[in-house]
Amino acid sequence: MGKNYRSELVGAFGCPIDENPTGVMEEAAFQAKGLDYRYLTIKVNEGDLEVAMKAVRVLHMRGINLTIPHKVEVLRYLDELSEAAELIGAVNMVVNKDGKLWGENTDGKGFLTSLTNEGITVEGKIVTVLGAGGAARAISVECALAGASKVYIANRDSTRGTELAGLINERTGAAAEYIPWDKALEVPENTDILVNATSVGLYPNVNDKPDVNYDTVKPNMAVSDVIFNDPNTLFLQEAGRRGAKTINGLGMLVNQGAVNFTLWTGVEAPVDIMTQTLKQEFGLA
Ligand code: NDP
């Protein structure tokens, strides 16, 4: 057998994509595990995804991440979907299984792992999710599949909110209820886990926080934010001030990347190295 000069390829398709730091984290992980893989951060415009997905097959890429605006569109070009991805209706990662493209959504799984790492489980718990967009759908569906007893969905747009609550009621074992969000939100008092899954507080709007009556956040609640840039959001600061345990969005980001790493390589992900690498990228280490 001759020497192999060909690296295994994975990466991300998106637009905008230039500021996406995932590649740095995944490449550090490949190096740490001695794997000859490369992660390519690739700009794919809206409308060009079909050709790009053909390239995944033609170039024998091991898989690909999808981000804005491709997470829903990509479903048309896949051979198989995981149960969660089918329910969520969006895919953030694809594995090329000998020419068959299998789609999965690991955002919610990364979220659940970030809770588990803090000693929090969702089984039998009441979860209140702010938002009904992509991240909120992934988180709500995974919480429901993981045995949450009830999921409240608060969203400004009632169509998106009721649709998500309906999906959880019909397709999972959890009960769900839509909460209209047209004034400062009163967090349901039986909430165990409160999640901001809106884009409020995302850089550069770091002085924004979701419109919540923060005095309804109680010390027995675990409060999490999907925003990772900057991870010390005003939402988490307000919750922390009320005595709640807080979990920032870096854990979700690292852990979805770790699940992706393992699905592509079959190797356990070096989560500590991935966390450290991301913190360095964000100037937090
Ligand atoms: P979407 O555009 O799909 O959804 C955005 C959501 O935010 C909608 O529910 C929208 O409500 C809500 N929203 C926006 N502005 C406001 C506001 N002023 N008040 C109340 N609600 C508001 O985005 P995504 O779900 O894809 O992403 C959301 C955030 O999650 C992003 O910041 C992204 O960076 C982050 N994210 C983090 C990940 C991680 O690993 N930590 C992974 C994936 C995403 P409406 O429907 O009423 O418009």
Side-chain angles (χ1 to χ4, degrees), residues 131-135 155-157 160 198-200 226-228 249 252-253:
N155 200 50
R156 289 180 313 187
D157 180 313
R160 289 172 98 183
T198 73
S199 43
V200 181
V226 294
I227 303 295
F228 54 81
M252 176 175 169
L253 186 64

Side-chain angles (χ1 to χ4, degrees), residues 27-238:
E27 292 244 324
F30 295 142
Q31 237 177 29
K33 289 288 180 170
L35 294 169
D36 188 8
Y37 272 64
R38 297 302 315 274
Y39 189 104
L40 307 174
T41 302
I42 302 172
K43 181 173 171 181
V44 175
N45 289 333
E46 194 160 14
D48 287 341
L49 187 64
E50 183 173 7
V51 185
M53 292 308 293
K54 278 189 183 148
V56 170
R57 295 179 202 264
V58 171
L59 302 179
H60 299 96
M61 294 181 78
R62 284 292 186 107
I64 197 79
N65 277 139
L66 288 310
T67 184
I68 298 169
H70 304 309
K71 285 186 180 183
V72 175
E73 161 89 6
V74 72
L75 267 68
R76 300 164 59 177
Y77 311 119
L78 301 178
D79 302 304
E80 290 168 345
L81 281 182
S82 75
E83 182 196 5
E86 193 264 317
L87 276 175
I88 295 162
V91 157
N92 75 331
M93 73 92 61
V94 169
V95 181
N96 183 355
K97 297 180 175 181
D98 298 322
K100 276 209 155 153
L101 301 186
W102 176 81
E104 171 63 291
N105 194 312
T106 55
D107 282 339
K109 292 172 179 61
F111 170 78
L112 288 181
T113 307
S114 74
L115 291 191
T116 311
N117 289 347
E118 296 292 329
I120 299 161
T121 53
V122 298
E123 204 176 345
K125 301 277 174 63
I126 297 174
V127 184
T128 299
V129 178
L130 311 183
R137 287 180 72 90
I139 287 170
S140 318
V141 165
E142 293 289 358
C143 285
L145 293 178
S149 61
K150 174 133 192 177
V151 183
Y152 290 106
I153 309 287
N155 200 50
R156 289 180 313 187
D157 180 313
S158 63
T159 310
R160 289 172 98 183
T162 45
E163 200 268 325
L164 178 54
L167 172 87
I168 291 168
N169 275 323
E170 283 158 31
R171 303 279 310 272
T172 77
E177 188 179 324
Y178 167 66
I179 306 177
W181 192 7
D182 44 16
K183 55 180 189 308
L185 184 82
E186 305 279 313
V187 179
E189 60 184 355
N190 55 358
T191 300
D192 297 303
I193 300 166
L194 171 67
V195 192
N196 173 35
T198 73
S199 43
V200 181
L202 184 65
Y203 181 87
N205 303 314
V206 293
N207 292 321
D208 290 352
K209 58 186 176 200
D211 188 15
V212 170
N213 174 1
Y214 286 94
D215 288 334
T216 60
V217 176
K218 300 297 175 199
N220 62 316
M221 296 179 188
V223 178
S224 176
D225 204 330
V226 294
I227 303 295
F228 54 81
N229 193 11
D230 180 321
N232 185 25
T233 59
L234 287 185
F235 174 73
L236 292 182
Q237 290 178 35
E238 292 284 1

Side-chain angles (χ1 to χ4, degrees), residues 251-280:
M252 176 175 169
L253 186 64
V254 169
N255 285 298
Q256 60 87 26
V259 177
N260 299 343
F261 178 97
T262 302
L263 286 172
W264 287 325
T265 65
V267 174
E268 195 181 334
V271 178
D272 289 350
I273 286 170
M274 295 171 84
T275 307
Q276 202 49 33
T277 306
L278 259 195
K279 281 189 173 166
Q280 265 162 17

